[in-house]
Amino acid sequence: MAPNREDITIIGGGIVGLSVALGLLRAGDRVVVLDGADADLRASQGNFGLVWLQGKGADHPAYARWTRDAVAAWPEFAGLLRDCGGVDVALAQAGGYEFFTDETELRAFAADLERQRCALGNRFAFDVLTGDELRRVVPGLGPEVAGATYSALDGDVNPLRLLAALRGAVTALGGRIETGARVNRVSPVSGGGFDLALDGGGMRRAGRVVLCAGLGSAKLAEQLGFHTRVRPQRGEMLITEKIRDRLPVLSSTIRQVNEGGIQIGGTKADAGFDDHESLQIMSDLARHAVAVFPALADLRVVRAWGSLRVMTPDGYPVYARAPEHPGAFLVTCHSGVTLAPMHATALADWIEGKAEAPDLEMFDDTRFALSDAA
């Protein structure tokens, strides 16, 4: 029996892969999404849920613009997901803070934001507030807070609802999602297309392939001649019990999810593929949260976990076509939530080769070719 053939196969069923699938389905393609096993390392199920612009692309103007476009597109995208997937992702974009207990770190971050503002012009503004200024306007802020930056453009969503909404939308538009389908080899076929070998001996044939499997893309990307070598970066989080009162503000490290619990995070560690939480980091997270909002000291922590971000060598997204295998694409980034609207629109147009698609040359992975040669 000949293997099944689809126009486009997306390898990876997380937020990035499903967002791309949604865009390609809306463009009229037939799409199948091959999702791995439950035990796979999944950034989509362990992220912070931020729709965030502050600090993105301070030294990479193209990334700053790409992120700004994504943040602006989120309200319409949330409406699309509600209409197609039947799920409200709890988008809130009332502005966000970056809190600091160290004035030197605050000044350094403010300098980053100034470079970002230079790249974005009048499309981005921010405020820098001292601790005393903040305490006059933010109820319950602790005395250790030295200051904060603020942007009215930042916000958040419920990331698990987002994942459910994307799955529902892809299915509603005629896409097929196969779970437990982990691809271990991609082989170009003479005359066009690709054979995909799955764990367990299964085979699939695809007309075009888009690698969106995060950390699972590394081996497959190498098989297709891509230069990108993704690496894991561990982040750890705490979740408290649900409370009735709402936090007065949103920050990048302390947010109240729409169900009522407080999520505390923001750590970064190069720990290989170890996604276990550590007591020291958990203690540091709790200490920071209480320094910012002392009333949090009375809450019980009900969950704690570590999760692995997907990092490229320079930390910026990769959108690349395989140099020797037409029809194969690599899509990887560590801001899949924030960038989801762009992946479902402009990036899908780029994969389709549409005339109106943006120029994404700045994100091509040939920027890593020299390190490959070395």
Side-chain angles (χ1 to χ4, degrees):
M1 180 183 296
N4 294 329
R5 186 181 182 90
E6 298 281 343
D7 286 348
I8 298 184
T9 295
I10 308 289
I11 301 177
I15 288 172
V16 172
L18 292 170
S19 298
V20 174
L22 176 59
L24 293 171
L25 285 163
R26 297 184 74 213
D29 290 304
R30 289 191 304 160
V31 178
V32 61
V33 178
L34 301 182
D35 196 14
D38 287 342
D40 288 347
L41 299 169
R42 293 175 177 267
S44 294
Q45 295 182 359
N47 69 80
F48 214 62
L50 295 177
V51 176
W52 210 255
L53 180 59
Q54 283 190 72
K56 301 288 185 68
D59 298 311
H60 195 308
Y63 181 46
R65 293 189 292 270
W66 186 244
T67 306
R68 177 64 179 88
D69 290 344
V71 168
W74 249 105
E76 182 177 352
F77 185 60
L80 170 67
L81 292 175
R82 187 168 54 250
D83 293 342
C84 291
V87 177
D88 182 351
V89 299
L91 172 67
Q93 285 180 290
Y97 290 82
E98 297 273 3
F99 289 113
F100 294 87
T101 56
D102 184 292
E103 290 188 9
T104 301
E105 293 179 0
L106 171 61
R107 287 194 295 270
F109 188 69
D112 288 345
L113 296 190
E114 181 58 30
R115 293 197 303 278
Q116 187 179 8
R117 189 197 62 76
C118 289
L120 294 174
N122 62 8
R123 300 187 68 213
F124 176 61
F126 67 95
D127 296 314
V128 181
L129 302 101
T130 67
D132 289 339
E133 289 172 330
L134 286 165
R135 280 180 281 275
R136 286 196 289 268
V137 297
V138 179
L141 202 66
E144 294 183 48
V145 175
T149 61
Y150 171 80
S151 168
L153 300 172
D154 292 326
D156 64 349
V157 297
N158 182 313
L160 295 182
R161 284 195 189 183
L162 173 59
L163 193 59
L166 285 166
R167 291 178 66 89
V170 166
T171 302
L173 291 177
R176 194 170 83 246
I177 302 172
E178 295 187 19
T179 58
R182 183 188 293 163
V183 179
N184 59 55
R185 184 158 191 84
V186 180
S187 304
V189 176
S190 177
F194 301 87
D195 280 338
L196 314 179
L198 276 61
D199 285 359
M203 293 291 297
R204 297 288 188 278
R205 178 162 292 181
R208 289 175 286 170
V209 170
V210 187
L211 302 183
C212 300
L215 295 171
S217 292
K219 181 175 70 172
L220 303 179
E222 188 172 2
Q223 292 169 7
L224 291 171
F226 289 107
H227 301 286
T228 301
R229 301 292 180 263
V230 294
R231 62 178 175 85
Q233 182 188 74
R234 187 173 68 196
E236 300 182 40
M237 286 180 276
L238 302 174
I239 296 287
T240 74
E241 61 184 315
K242 297 177 182 179
I243 58 175
R244 184 186 305 274
D245 295 336
R246 302 299 300 181
L247 277 185
V249 295
L250 167 72
S251 87
S252 65
T253 56
I254 305 169
R255 64 181 284 258
Q256 188 167 21
V257 298
N258 58 296
E259 291 96 342
I262 308 297
Q263 187 170 344
I264 303 162
T267 68
K268 300 176 181 179
D270 292 322
F273 287 90
D274 181 3
D275 64 350
H276 291 87
E277 66 275 14
S278 59
L279 182 58
Q280 182 59 56
I281 296 298
M282 297 290 107
S283 299
D284 291 343
L285 286 174
R287 190 176 299 110
H288 169 73
V290 171
V292 176
F293 290 111
L296 297 181
D298 296 328
L299 299 185
R300 292 176 297 176
V301 172
V302 296
R303 293 196 303 281
W305 70 84
S307 183
L308 300 181
R309 301 180 184 93
V310 182
M311 299 299 294
T312 62
D314 60 7
Y316 297 114
V318 167
Y319 309 120
R321 297 181 174 94
E324 298 179 5
H325 305 296
F329 304 84
L330 174 63
V331 176
T332 186
C333 70
H334 74 276
S335 296
V337 174
T338 297
L339 297 178
M342 303 309 293
H343 293 162
T345 54
L347 181 63
D349 290 344
W350 176 81
I351 291 172
E352 288 292 282
K354 293 183 178 180
E356 65 269 25
D359 180 4
L360 299 180
E361 182 180 359
M362 289 295 294
F363 300 112
D364 193 87
D365 83 334
T366 53
R367 67 188 192 262
F368 307 127
L370 290 178
S371 61
D372 258 12

